[in-house]
């Protein structure tokens, strides 16, 4: 994983223009490389303003951009999930041909370690539509605990959390 770069535009366009990728993300894939560049710029701005954002995920064997994984500090009304505000969210998004290879799990475990050990976060949250079986499995597999369900933009969402103290217990 590394910082997302402007040169990742082709990979970001392939990722975010795919309707299958956006099936559980509001069903609004992008339609232009200009939108992909806006997404990259938004993430890069988060590095500078918030000190953390999603990272480009690169397949070791091929060197290909396969998507992104990382933490995001969600702040304010625009980034709220219903009543959930001001939280660190673990997330991942991959190009479909890389699905099912364990990249979400592998990168997320690295991100949890970074969040708890380097950033000294108290809690990391995760959310997934209840119909998104793959993401729900990953969040559970990496140790996040199911807390509740709630309605958000017409979809039921599963809400998960992992506290630093619980993470530390699993690592000892």
């Amino acid at each position: 994983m590394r910082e997302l770069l402007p040169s990742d535009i082709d990979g970001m366009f392939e990722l975010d223009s795919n309707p299958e990728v956006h099936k559980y993300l509001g069903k609004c894939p992008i339609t232009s490389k200009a939108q992909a560049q806006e997404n990259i710029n938004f993430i890069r701005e988060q590095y500078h303003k918030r000190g953390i954002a999603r990272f480009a995920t690169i397949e070791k064997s091929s060197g290909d951009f396969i998507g992104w994984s990382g933490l995001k500090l969600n702040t304010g009304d625009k980034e709220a999930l219903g009543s959930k505000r001001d939280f660190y969210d673990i997330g991942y998004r991959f190009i479909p041909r890389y699905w099912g290879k364990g990249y979400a799990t592998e990168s997320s475990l690295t991100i949890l370690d970074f969040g708890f050990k380097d950033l000294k976060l108290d809690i990391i949250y995760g959310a997934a539509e209840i119909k998104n079986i793959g993401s729900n499995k990953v969040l559970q597999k990496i140790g996040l605990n199911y807390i509740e369900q709630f309605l958000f933009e017409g979809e039921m969402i599963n809400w998960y959390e992992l506290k630093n103290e619980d993470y530390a217990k699993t690592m000892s």
Side-chain angles (χ1 to χ4, degrees), residues 76-93:
D77 290 341
K78 187 177 178 184
E79 295 178 334
L81 285 177
S83 65
K84 313 298 185 198
R85 285 176 167 54
D86 301 322
F87 60 92
Y88 285 92
D89 163 56
I90 191 164
Y92 36 82
R93 191 178 299 174

Side-chain angles (χ1 to χ4, degrees), residues 45-169:
E45 186 177 303
Q46 290 174 32
Y47 296 142
H48 303 292
K49 288 187 175 177
R50 300 180 185 176
I52 189 66
R54 311 299 195 189
F55 293 107
T57 305
I58 309 301
E59 186 179 50
K60 288 179 188 175
S61 61
S62 67
D64 292 341
F65 174 94
I66 64 171
W68 55 252
S69 184
L71 292 171
K72 179 182 178 200
L73 175 58
N74 291 270
T75 61
D77 290 341
K78 187 177 178 184
E79 295 178 334
L81 285 177
S83 65
K84 313 298 185 198
R85 285 176 167 54
D86 301 322
F87 60 92
Y88 285 92
D89 163 56
I90 191 164
Y92 36 82
R93 191 178 299 174
F94 297 103
I95 296 169
R97 70 177 174 273
Y98 298 101
W99 291 358
K101 297 183 178 195
Y103 294 135
T105 300
E106 179 183 355
S107 62
S108 294
L109 288 170
T110 300
I111 291 301
L112 287 176
D113 203 55
F114 177 72
F116 288 131
K117 291 183 177 176
D118 295 331
L119 298 179
K120 310 276 190 246
L121 301 179
D122 291 324
I123 303 175
I124 294 175
Y125 296 94
E129 284 189 21
I130 62 170
K131 293 182 251 175
N132 188 342
I133 304 300
S135 280
N136 281 283
K137 284 183 178 179
V138 169
L139 291 170
Q140 293 168 18
K141 189 175 185 179
I142 64 172
L144 273 74
N145 301 301
Y146 170 82
I147 301 299
E148 65 180 325
Q149 284 183 349
F150 59 89
L151 187 64
F152 179 70
E153 296 183 350
E155 298 293 338
M156 288 304 292
I157 305 295
N158 283 335
W159 182 251
Y160 299 88
E161 72 176 31
L162 182 58
K163 296 178 180 175
N164 192 325
E165 62 199 44
D166 296 329
Y167 176 76
K169 289 176 192 171

